[in-house]
Amino acid sequence: MKKLMRNKLLLVIVCTIIVLLIAGIAALIYINGLDKAYDSSKSDTINVTVEMGSTTEDIGTLLQEEGIIESSSDFKFFSKVKGYDGKYQAGTYALAPSMTLSEIAEIIISGKTNNITFTIPEGYTIYQMADKLSEEGIVDREKFVSLLTDGNFSYDFLSDAQSGKNHLEGYLFPETYTVEFGADEETIINTMLNQFDTVFTEEFKARAEELGYSLNEIMVIASIIERETQVDEERGKVSSVIYNRLKEGMPLQMCSTVQYILGEQKEILSNADTQIESPYNTYINQGLPPGPICCPGLASIEAALYPDETDYLYFVVSDKLDGTQKFSSDYNQFLKDKEDYYNALEQQE
C-alpha cells in the first residue's frame, strides 16, 4: 500500500513538473511573440515625450496612441515580465513602429534622447521634404520653407544653381539621417547639403566637364531620370533618350517636368497641361529646365553621368504594374507603343 501511495505521489509530482514546464514554455513563446515590431515597413521615427512620473501603463497608452505599438496592455505585461517596470526615464525619444518592444523599452530605459532619425525618399521635391519633416515633428514647416527660399547656404556646387525659391531643389540629398534631438531647421538643411557634397565626388565633377555639362545641368538630367524611371535597370536608357534628344535639338517632352509645374502626378497629361507657360515645360521649350525638378538619388546621378549608348529617342510605359517601359528610335513605333499602353489602360478599367 505504501509503495502504491509513493508511486501515486511520484506520478503527481512528475505530472506537475511536466505541466509547469509546458506552461513555462508556452509563456516564454508568448512573451517572445510579443517582442516584435508593430509595422516593420514604417522606419520613420516619431518624437514621443515621456513625462516625469509616467507609469508603465501611461507610457504604453502613449505609444499606442502615437501608432508605435499595437497594444498598451501587451507593453505593460511585457515590461513586467522583463523586469523593465519602474526603470523607464522621462524625456523625448525618437521611436518608430519598426522597432521591437525590447528596442523601444531599452531606449526609454537608457534615457538617451539626443538622436532623431528620419528618411528622405529619392525623388522628393524640397517642399515635399518640408511637409514630411513637419508632419513627423522634426521641423517647423514655416521656418524650414523660409530657409529654402531665403536661406544663405555657401557651397561651391550651388554657384550655378537656379535662383529664386527653388534654389536648393535637387541638392538636399535623399538619405536616412540621424541628427541630435532639437537640431534646428538650418542644421538639418546643412546636413543634407553636406551629404550631397560628399556624394558628388571629384570624379563626378570631372565626368560632367567631360560631357560638356555644368553640375546643375547634370542634376537637372538626374532629376528627370528619377521622376521618369521606376526600374533601376532602365535609368541608363532614359538618360540616353535625354542626351539623344538634346543632341538632335528636339524638345525633351518629359511629362515629369509638367507634373513639377502642376505640383501633382497625373497619369495622363491633357493637351492644356502641355501648353502651360513655364520655363520648366519641356513640351514648349527646347533644352533643359532651369533647375532640377526633384532631389534625385545616387543611381539617377550616376545614370546622368554615364548614360547607356543607344539611339533611342522615345519611351513609353509598357506595364503600369511594374513600371517597365518600351524604348524606340522610330516615331511610328513610339506611336504604336503609346497606343498599346492606352488600350491596356482601357481594358484595366
Side-chain angles (χ1 to χ4, degrees):
M1 177 67 81
K2 289 183 179 180
K3 185 177 180 181
L4 180 62
M5 290 293 291
R6 282 199 300 270
N7 288 341
K8 286 184 177 180
L9 180 60
L10 182 62
L11 181 61
V12 169
I13 293 171
V14 170
C15 289
T16 302
I17 292 172
I18 291 173
V19 169
L20 290 174
L21 282 173
I22 292 172
I25 292 171
L28 185 61
I29 292 172
Y30 176 69
I31 294 166
N32 288 337
L34 293 178
D35 193 17
K36 61 183 180 181
Y38 176 39
D39 189 339
S40 58
S41 68
K42 293 183 178 179
S43 58
D44 289 338
T45 56
I46 300 168
N47 294 332
V48 176
T49 299
V50 175
E51 301 292 346
M52 189 71 71
S54 294
T55 64
T56 300
E57 185 175 359
D58 293 334
I59 297 170
T61 300
L62 173 64
L63 295 175
Q64 182 177 331
E65 289 174 349
E66 292 291 342
I68 294 169
I69 64 172
E70 184 174 8
S71 168
S72 60
S73 58
D74 283 350
F75 180 81
K76 182 180 178 181
F77 176 74
F78 183 81
S79 298
K80 189 171 187 63
V81 171
K82 288 287 188 178
Y84 296 151
D85 237 352
K87 295 182 179 179
Y88 294 124
Q89 299 189 49
T92 300
Y93 302 92
L95 305 172
S98 61
M99 295 177 178
T100 64
L101 289 187
S102 287
E103 290 172 332
I104 292 169
E106 287 167 7
I107 288 172
I108 303 176
I109 289 171
S110 73
K112 294 179 180 178
T113 61
N114 60 330
N115 288 334
I116 294 176
T117 299
F118 63 90
T119 299
I120 300 298
E122 296 169 347
Y124 262 37
T125 68
I126 53 178
Y127 297 102
Q128 285 178 306
M129 293 182 189
D131 291 338
K132 184 177 190 293
L133 293 175
S134 174
E135 288 168 4
E136 292 172 5
I138 295 172
V139 302
D140 178 287
R141 190 183 189 284
E142 187 175 340
K143 291 178 181 178
F144 192 83
V145 170
S146 177
L147 285 167
L148 292 179
T149 55
D150 301 315
N152 183 22
F153 298 95
S154 181
Y155 294 85
D156 290 342
F157 58 79
L158 292 175
S159 60
D160 67 341
Q162 63 183 313
S163 57
K165 67 176 185 178
N166 297 327
H167 181 57
L168 298 183
E169 190 73 88
Y171 298 99
L172 300 186
F173 192 74
E175 181 69 270
T176 295
Y177 294 96
T178 299
V179 297
E180 287 190 2
F181 176 76
D184 61 19
E185 290 74 13
E186 186 172 7
T187 298
I188 289 172
I189 291 175
N190 272 312
T191 298
M192 290 189 276
L193 290 172
N194 279 322
Q195 183 63 12
F196 177 85
D197 201 18
T198 300
V199 168
F200 207 97
T201 62
E202 291 301 320
E203 176 193 332
F204 285 2
K205 293 172 186 176
R207 175 60 178 167
E209 188 174 343
E210 180 184 336
L211 291 171
Y213 286 86
S214 69
L215 189 153
N216 187 63
E217 289 171 330
I218 291 296
M219 291 307 297
V220 173
I221 295 170
S223 70
I224 295 174
I225 294 169
E226 188 68 64
R227 284 292 197 175
E228 293 283 345
T229 317
Q230 295 184 50
V231 179
D232 282 344
E233 293 75 16
E234 294 182 349
R235 294 183 196 276
K237 292 179 182 178
V238 171
S239 182
S240 73
V241 171
I242 295 172
Y243 281 107
N244 289 342
R245 292 182 77 91
L246 290 171
K247 185 178 179 181
E248 294 293 327
M250 301 170 65
L252 293 180
Q253 296 185 324
M254 296 288 167
C255 296
S256 56
T257 62
V258 177
Q259 290 162 345
Y260 184 67
I261 303 166
L262 296 172
E264 62 174 318
Q265 298 296 303
K266 293 180 67 174
E267 188 169 26
I268 299 176
L269 297 177
S270 67
N271 288 331
D273 292 334
T274 62
Q275 298 305 307
I276 296 173
E277 288 290 337
S278 168
Y280 288 95
N281 190 344
T282 58
Y283 277 83
I284 61 175
N285 300 302
Q286 285 194 330
L288 295 169
I293 60 171
C294 71
C295 293
L298 179 59
S300 290
I301 295 173
E302 290 178 332
L305 290 166
Y306 302 96
D308 288 356
E309 292 186 12
T310 78
D311 59 357
Y312 296 142
L313 291 170
Y314 311 96
F315 63 88
V316 65
V317 175
S318 61
D319 191 318
K320 181 182 175 181
L321 295 178
D322 65 17
T324 54
Q325 308 189 85
K326 287 184 178 178
F327 296 82
S328 58
S329 55
D330 179 74
Y331 182 64
N332 290 326
Q333 181 62 48
F334 164 69
L335 292 178
K336 182 181 182 304
D337 293 339
K338 191 175 180 180
E339 183 180 0
D340 289 344
Y341 175 63
Y342 287 152
N343 289 337
L345 283 181
E346 289 178 1
Q347 291 176 3
Q348 289 173 9
E349 293 174 356

